[in-house]
Amino acid sequence: NGAGKTTLLRMLGKLMSPTEGEVLITDETGRKLTKEIEIKRHIGYLSGNTKLYNRISPRELLTIFGNLYEMSKENIEKSIEEISEIMNMGEFIDNRIENLSTGQTQRTSIARCLIHSPQIYIFDEPTLGLDVISSKSIIDFMKRDGIKKLRDKGATILYTTHYMEEAETLCDRIIMIHRGSVIAYGTSQELKEKYEADNLRDLFIQLASERGSLVEN
């Protein structure tokens, strides 16, 4: 907590301006994007405290966001059907959001990020606060279904988590951040071999302890 993960993602997602440095967003050809609507079309951002409109259904919510991204009615409907199948939302997609479980609400939040098929996905702790079953459904989606397919097509996915097992399971490359600084970077296997650690959890504790700043709560 307090390492700077969310602040970093907000800067990368163009929700905050950095005090130093610059964040550049480009399209598939490498052209720098400057218009706000262009940038938003290229990014799907899931915040840790995303709030949804309780009195509408997930289908209505996705339609609203599709319109905000200036998608055609036909593309919105097609995208909703595809996302509903991928996220297994069929049983609740027309229910009011206020009546959904925590896991169903989180799947709706993720679906909101997928509706416009962006090239950059930013997921800030998507399993935080979920029960074991709901968390597993999100992890399974990330591993097996939509996100893996999107990555294989060239999309960029940034995923933050406190749970080292998630990072080890899901991520191609891992960046460990502690007190605003990067303390390790590489693949899971590279990191464990370099620091002679059995798992990422022990590795992080080791590196934080070496800096004399590990505090037990």
Side-chain angles (χ1 to χ4, degrees):
N1 289 330
K5 301 184 303 298
T6 297
T7 300
L8 174 61
L9 292 188
R10 286 176 178 169
M11 289 188 291
L12 295 177
K14 292 294 190 174
L15 300 178
M16 293 177 63
S17 298
T19 53
E20 295 182 20
E22 184 179 10
V23 176
L24 300 178
I25 307 294
T26 64
D27 63 14
E28 296 83 351
T29 67
R31 178 179 63 89
K32 178 182 176 181
L33 303 179
T34 56
K35 294 181 180 179
E36 186 175 352
I37 187 63
E38 272 193 306
I39 292 173
K40 287 182 177 180
R41 283 193 187 121
H42 279 73
I43 297 175
Y45 191 104
L46 176 67
S47 169
N49 60 354
T50 297
K51 304 298 182 184
L52 303 179
Y53 301 105
N54 284 332
R55 295 179 64 82
I56 63 176
S57 69
R59 186 187 301 277
E60 291 169 326
L61 179 81
L62 295 177
T63 300
I64 289 172
F65 275 89
N67 286 321
L68 288 175
Y69 291 118
E70 300 180 354
M71 297 170 61
S72 69
K73 180 180 178 181
E74 180 181 276
N75 285 339
I76 291 173
E77 292 176 351
K78 180 180 178 182
S79 183
I80 289 175
E81 292 308 314
E82 291 176 350
I83 292 170
S84 176
E85 182 176 350
I86 290 171
M87 298 295 293
N88 194 22
M89 297 172 64
E91 63 180 12
F92 63 84
I93 194 167
D94 292 307
N95 295 346
R96 277 191 176 187
I97 290 172
E98 64 186 356
N99 296 325
L100 304 185
S101 68
T102 302
Q104 291 171 340
T105 301
Q106 189 69 332
R107 275 188 273 172
T108 301
S109 292
I110 293 175
R112 175 187 58 79
C113 299
L114 305 178
I115 186 67
H116 57 302
S117 301
Q119 286 298 303
I120 301 169
Y121 295 85
I122 299 176
F123 296 112
D124 191 7
E125 300 187 78
T127 62
L128 185 65
L130 297 183
D131 60 70
V132 174
I133 294 175
S134 297
S135 179
K136 182 180 183 303
S137 71
I138 300 299
I139 296 294
D140 287 346
F141 164 70
M142 296 288 179
K143 283 196 303 185
R144 186 188 63 241
D145 299 314
I147 291 302
K148 184 179 185 301
K149 293 176 183 177
L150 293 170
R151 184 198 65 185
D152 292 343
K153 290 180 179 179
T156 297
I157 299 102
L158 301 176
Y159 184 102
T160 69
T161 179
H162 281 139
Y163 309 123
M164 297 299 178
E165 295 81 4
E166 283 186 13
E168 194 163 356
T169 299
L170 296 174
C171 300
D172 297 321
R173 291 186 293 275
I174 295 167
I175 300 174
M176 291 186 174
I177 301 177
H178 185 57
R179 293 198 168 186
S181 298
V182 174
I183 60 175
Y185 171 75
T187 67
S188 174
Q189 190 61 35
E190 288 170 349
L191 291 174
K192 287 187 287 187
E193 289 179 357
K194 179 178 180 179
Y195 296 100
E196 299 180 349
D198 293 329
N199 56 70
L200 296 183
R201 180 186 297 273
D202 291 344
L203 169 56
F204 181 83
I205 292 173
Q206 171 192 328
L207 295 177
S209 299
E210 289 173 355
R211 285 158 177 76
S213 56
L214 184 64
V215 178
E216 292 186 2
N217 294 322

